[in-house]
Amino acid sequence: VSDASGCSMIALLHTGAAKFPQNLLSRSRQAVSPLYPAGVLKGFSSIVSRKLASHGFGASMAAMSSFPPQRYHYFLVLDFEATCDKPQIHPQEIIEFPILKLNGRTMEIESTFHMYVQPVVHPQLTPFCTELTGIIQGMVDGQPSLQQVLERVDEWMAKEGLLDPSVKSIFVTCGDWDLKVMLPGQCQYLGLPVADYFKQWINLKKAYSFAMGSWPKNGLLDMNKGLNLQHIGRPHSGIDDCKNIANIMKTLAHRGFIFKQTSKPF
């Protein structure tokens, strides 16, 4: 069980104690104790912990053991902001396109895609739109078109390894509007194809209702309140909404919730 230094047995006793049957753990400690006094055992445990941490194992081991594994390698958190007014203008056009790449094992953000998009049908933002989203005219003027942004999304997906068939990823949105209505509707209007990876997603509202047993009528605000989380940034900022979605997902995952696709296949 141990090598010449006894380190293997000591590491097992201290790093695997939680999984070790108590009767065997007690007998093993009794067998090792005469050879290694308590102070030495504690010292070895500290050394092992530091060695693991120095190789990046400490945080990842803690993250892996804190919640069950998810079905996906990565979650792609997305939240569009679009042109709007009262009464609503048609067609609506995406003006903010943020994506957060969330590691499905640690539930930490690994990469960010964030671009503003220039609207072409209604190029001038309404005062209502600016007040709601915080996006001013200068933030969209001169920015790439939706077609150009979609091309850059595809480049980012490739760079992040998300187009590899062996990598399982799925988009996550707060509601079905972003990928069921907004993106396909604007792409149809402009005659643009919709990439297959946009055709399946997780609606966080549905996931939250499955996990908590209540429907979040006010979206992110209700979900943050239900989980005792502080709201990040300003409501209706696309990138801030993505950060809130990611934080809610991390909290639900730590409670043992397994995320599943909620959209129906196209």
Side-chain angles (χ1 to χ4, degrees), residues 17-224:
K19 299 178 181 179
F20 216 65
Q22 287 302 310
N23 61 330
L24 294 178
L25 183 62
S26 176
R27 287 160 57 190
S28 300
R29 280 178 172 153
Q30 290 172 7
V32 174
S33 294
L35 300 174
Y36 301 99
V40 176
L41 285 172
K42 185 176 181 180
F44 269 117
S45 178
S46 178
I47 291 169
V48 169
S49 297
R50 288 199 302 271
K51 287 292 185 183
L52 286 170
S54 70
H55 289 286
F57 286 111
S60 61
M61 288 178 71
M64 289 172 68
S65 62
S66 60
F67 54 85
Q70 296 291 330
R71 296 183 170 193
Y72 296 92
H73 298 114
Y74 297 101
F75 296 105
L76 305 176
V77 179
L78 176 149
D79 189 272
F80 295 139
E81 297 305 324
T83 53
C84 54
D85 202 2
K86 282 192 172 182
Q88 189 59 273
I89 57 176
H90 296 284
Q92 283 189 278
E93 299 170 85
I94 295 168
I95 55 175
E96 185 180 7
F97 203 128
I99 307 172
L100 299 181
K101 178 188 176 188
L102 200 65
N103 186 304
R105 179 173 54 82
T106 64
M107 301 305 285
E108 298 292 341
I109 298 168
E110 286 194 354
S111 182
T112 301
F113 178 93
H114 186 211
M115 293 188 72
Y116 291 99
V117 190
Q118 181 166 334
V120 294
V121 182
H122 301 288
Q124 194 70 29
L125 301 183
T126 64
F128 174 83
C129 183
T130 294
E131 183 179 353
L132 179 70
T133 66
I135 299 172
I136 62 174
Q137 192 66 40
M139 296 166 71
V140 297
D141 284 346
Q143 295 301 310
S145 66
L146 179 64
Q147 181 177 358
Q148 292 169 322
V149 171
L150 289 173
E151 290 170 357
R152 295 188 189 182
V153 168
D154 202 66
E155 292 168 1
W156 177 79
M157 296 275 288
K159 180 176 68 72
E160 295 293 329
L162 297 166
L163 301 184
D164 184 335
S166 66
V167 175
K168 292 188 65 178
S169 65
I170 190 168
F171 279 89
V172 183
T173 57
C174 184
D176 291 322
W177 174 83
D178 300 80
L179 293 178
K180 186 175 183 179
V181 177
M182 187 62 239
L183 183 63
Q186 190 178 356
C187 284
Q188 183 179 26
Y189 183 88
L190 297 173
L192 301 174
V194 178
D196 286 343
Y197 45 70
F198 287 126
K199 295 179 180 180
Q200 49 276 318
W201 63 89
I202 294 169
N203 178 344
L204 183 65
K205 292 180 182 178
K206 290 181 180 178
Y208 177 90
S209 68
F210 296 152
M212 302 295 289
S214 63
W215 183 260
K217 293 180 181 179
N218 294 313
L220 293 174
L221 296 177
D222 280 358
M223 288 186 272
N224 276 327

